């Protein structure tokens, strides 16, 4: 059974810092991996999607990497801003299966 | 990009009543939609997979008779919480996948259900 773990569970950093969020998964036979952002009481916003054949994806200040063999992904946020405060969820998809989510990392960027 | 609309965004109902939540794919067709439940400060738990024109597939431990799912068209799936109880209070989120897009899964904005 696929299990997804995110570390740390919560993170608080000053504005302007670069930071890394970690995601690990137990079954490396994934179809793709997706990072989401969730604001309190809201739905999920897709940030980056990495196909199993890819190593990384970039969007603005966000960069996500994928190492399938080791079962790890990282989300790098550059020059953090207070507006980046949210819960970040990673999810993996096995072929023809639904998404399996991690528990999320609650990120707080302090002005 | 693909957009999924979920309605209502919040609802308060009395114990014993039923509540219907709608999930619509606005600019694409979705043969499959997914319903999740999220408890405070926890991750999403898949409840069921909704299949257009056929019965939904429920995850282990999810009561089929309590959570009725109907996927009557390629753009609409509904989740009905029947005979709601306070323990059904939660945040419910639907998602769909646009098979022609690179965006992966798209999620609705969620529905906060409070049963009093």
């Amino acid at each position: 059974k696929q299990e997804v773990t995110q570390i740390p569970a919560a993170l608080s950093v000053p504005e302007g810092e670069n930071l890394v969020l970690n995601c690990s998964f137990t079954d490396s036979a994934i179809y793709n991996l997706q990072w989401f952002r969730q604001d309190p009481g809201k739905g999920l916003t897709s940030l980056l999607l990495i196909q199993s054949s890819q190593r990384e994806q970039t969007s603005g200040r966000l960069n996500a990497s994928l190492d399938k063999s080791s079962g790890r992904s990282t989300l790098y946020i550059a020059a953090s801003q207070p507006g980046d405060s949210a819960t970040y969820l990673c999810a993996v998809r096995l072929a023809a299966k639904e998404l399996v989510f991690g528990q999320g990392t609650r990120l707080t960027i302090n002005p | 990009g693909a957009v999924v609309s979920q309605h209502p965004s919040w609802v308060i109902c009395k114990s014993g009543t039923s509540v219907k939540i709608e999930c619509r794919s606005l600019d694409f067709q979705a043969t499959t939609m997914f319903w999740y439940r999220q408890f405070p400060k926890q991750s999403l738990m898949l409840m069921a997979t909704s299949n257009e024109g056929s019965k939904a597939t429920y995850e282990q431990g999810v009561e089929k008779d309590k959570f009725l799912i109907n996927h009557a068209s390629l753009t609409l799936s509904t989740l009905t919480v029947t005979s709601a109880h306070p323990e059904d209070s939660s945040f419910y989120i639907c998602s769909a996948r646009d098979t022609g897009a690179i965006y992966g899964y798209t999620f609705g904005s969620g529905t906060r259900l409070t049963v009093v």
Side-chain angles (χ1 to χ4, degrees), chain B:
Chain B
V3 177
V4 171
S5 174
Q6 187 172 342
H7 179 82
S9 57
W10 62 270
V11 57
I12 301 173
C13 70
K14 292 183 178 180
S15 291
T17 61
S18 296
V19 174
K20 180 185 285 187
I21 302 170
E22 294 187 347
C23 181
R24 295 180 183 273
S25 57
L26 296 186
D27 48 3
F28 66 100
Q29 294 182 332
T31 56
T32 304
M33 292 186 177
F34 305 90
W35 288 96
Y36 293 83
R37 183 173 181 175
Q38 186 178 34
F39 292 102
K41 296 187 178 181
Q42 294 190 26
S43 191
L44 281 72
M45 180 192 76
L46 180 67
M47 299 175 62
T49 300
S50 172
N51 304 297
E52 187 269 335
S54 64
K55 292 182 178 180
T57 303
Y58 290 81
E59 295 300 301
Q60 189 174 8
V62 178
E63 299 178 58
K64 301 178 182 180
D65 295 332
K66 160 142 313 263
F67 300 101
L68 299 179
I69 291 174
N70 183 276
H71 195 156
S73 77
L74 288 171
T75 60
L76 174 63
S77 175
T78 61
L79 168 67
T80 301
V81 183
T82 63
S83 186
H85 290 124
E87 56 264 32
D88 297 326
S89 298
S90 190
F91 193 60
Y92 294 87
I93 309 178
C94 69
S95 78
R97 187 171 69 89
D98 181 0
T99 55
I102 62 173
Y103 304 109
Y105 290 84
T106 301
F107 284 76
S109 55
T111 297
R112 170 71 60 192
L113 170 63
T114 302
V115 184
V116 297

Side-chain angles (χ1 to χ4, degrees), chain A:
Chain A
K1 177 184 176 183
Q2 177 73 272
E3 293 183 0
V4 181
T5 304
Q6 289 187 247
I7 296 173
L11 180 64
S12 180
V13 301
E15 179 178 4
E17 281 199 5
N18 304 323
L19 56 99
V20 175
L21 308 181
N22 297 292
C23 173
S24 62
F25 45 95
T26 55
D27 187 343
S28 62
I30 64 171
Y31 189 72
N32 60 41
L33 182 145
Q34 199 164 356
W35 282 93
F36 296 90
R37 168 186 173 139
Q38 184 177 31
D39 293 290
K42 303 294 184 182
L44 275 65
T45 300
S46 180
L47 298 174
L48 291 163
L49 170 69
I50 310 177
Q51 301 292 349
S52 62
S53 59
Q54 297 174 323
R55 298 281 294 182
E56 65 176 346
Q57 283 286 334
T58 299
S59 176
R61 295 182 292 108
L62 305 180
N63 176 276
S65 68
L66 174 63
D67 185 341
K68 238 180 35 167
S69 61
S70 66
R72 295 182 180 183
S73 176
T74 61
L75 179 67
Y76 175 83
I77 302 177
S80 58
Q81 303 171 358
D84 294 331
S85 298
T87 295
Y88 290 80
L89 295 159
C90 77
V92 298
R93 181 183 172 217
L94 302 178
K97 297 289 186 182
E98 72 287 352
L99 293 178
V100 178
F101 282 86
Q103 296 287 64
T105 294
R106 293 190 304 279
L107 176 64
T108 302
I109 306 299
N110 302 303

